[in-house]
Amino acid sequence: MTWLNSAPGLEYETARALSERRRNSIVNGLFEMKFSTRFDVDDTADELFRAIADHHRLERMLMRRGARITRIDPALEPGAGIAWLIGFDWRGQPRNLRLDVTRHDRPERLSMAGMSDALEVVIDATVIALSRARSRLIFETTMQPRNMRARLMLQTAKLAKPQLDRKFERRIGEFLSDMRAATA
């Protein structure tokens, strides 16, 4: 139904334009949902960033979980501009997500912006060096609805926010363990 989506051509909007539009929208902030967690690890900041920014390992991990990954850009080196089309099944229906790397500042920050039919997703991973051999990962995800059905879904999900926060923290911990195990 295109009447729910006031901008049907939005799928072709660049990730940078998407984040700029998001920043300028006051009303959208009322309906967004944020998740945040942090982990302290016994790795240097460079090692930790290298682990979370290993895009090939991330692609393989998602494929093992049943996602269909298509790389959009021809770049072989990690950096801003890398993009994927990710297909997956959720609640019995096929879903598609376009995910773009918007910021790749080694060894401090990795940001991605994604868009599906229902949601806009922004993922930020920040690595902070605590000492020479210890670092902290701050992982944040923000979701905003793109249609009324998604808005209702997020409003309902806010009722279970404490359980979702625990699940988010557990999943990011598993992700971090898997990514660090590959580089060890």
Side-chain angles (χ1 to χ4, degrees):
M1 294 184 193
T2 57
W3 62 271
L4 288 177
N5 184 357
S6 61
L10 198 56
E11 286 79 9
Y12 303 106
E13 188 174 14
T14 65
R16 189 162 275 133
L18 170 65
S19 63
E20 186 64 30
R21 186 176 60 81
R22 231 184 109 245
R23 218 176 287 125
N24 295 333
S25 175
I26 297 170
V27 176
N28 280 344
L30 298 174
F31 298 104
E32 71 182 15
M33 185 172 226
K34 291 184 179 183
F35 296 98
S36 179
T37 188
R38 67 182 190 175
F39 290 94
D40 293 346
V41 294
D42 292 327
D43 285 340
T44 65
D46 193 49
E47 290 170 345
L48 179 59
F49 187 85
R50 194 174 328 118
I52 65 167
D54 185 353
H55 300 303
H56 298 293
R57 173 86 174 141
L58 180 62
E59 290 172 8
R60 289 191 302 270
M61 185 186 312
L62 289 172
M63 283 191 265
R64 276 197 315 268
R65 293 179 181 218
R68 297 166 304 282
I69 308 289
T70 305
R71 184 84 172 263
I72 297 173
D73 67 297
L76 297 176
E77 293 296 317
I82 295 176
W84 300 270
L85 285 177
I86 304 170
F88 56 96
D89 292 330
W90 187 60
R91 294 192 175 193
Q93 292 205 341
R95 312 286 178 165
N96 292 304
L97 173 73
R98 180 190 166 109
L99 191 64
D100 297 283
V101 175
T102 57
R103 189 170 176 183
H104 191 273
D105 298 336
R106 181 178 298 273
E108 297 168 354
R109 187 155 182 199
L110 177 66
S111 297
M112 297 182 209
M115 187 180 306
S116 71
D117 291 338
L119 296 171
E120 295 175 4
V121 179
V122 176
I123 301 168
D124 284 315
T126 305
V127 176
I128 300 169
L130 300 175
S131 68
R132 287 186 183 188
R134 193 157 172 78
S135 55
R136 172 175 291 158
L137 172 68
I138 300 172
F139 201 93
E140 299 171 330
T141 301
T142 305
M143 294 183 289
Q144 284 188 324
R146 292 189 59 207
N147 56 35
M148 187 59 76
R149 182 179 287 181
R151 190 174 286 182
L152 291 171
M153 178 189 70
L154 286 182
Q155 285 300 107
T156 305
K158 284 184 180 183
L159 297 173
K161 184 79 163 79
Q163 293 90 349
L164 292 174
D165 284 337
R166 285 192 297 273
K167 190 173 186 178
F168 179 78
E169 186 170 350
R170 182 175 44 87
R171 291 287 177 108
I172 297 303
E174 291 170 3
F175 162 76
L176 186 58
S177 297
D178 287 350
M179 295 301 274
R180 286 179 61 220
T183 58

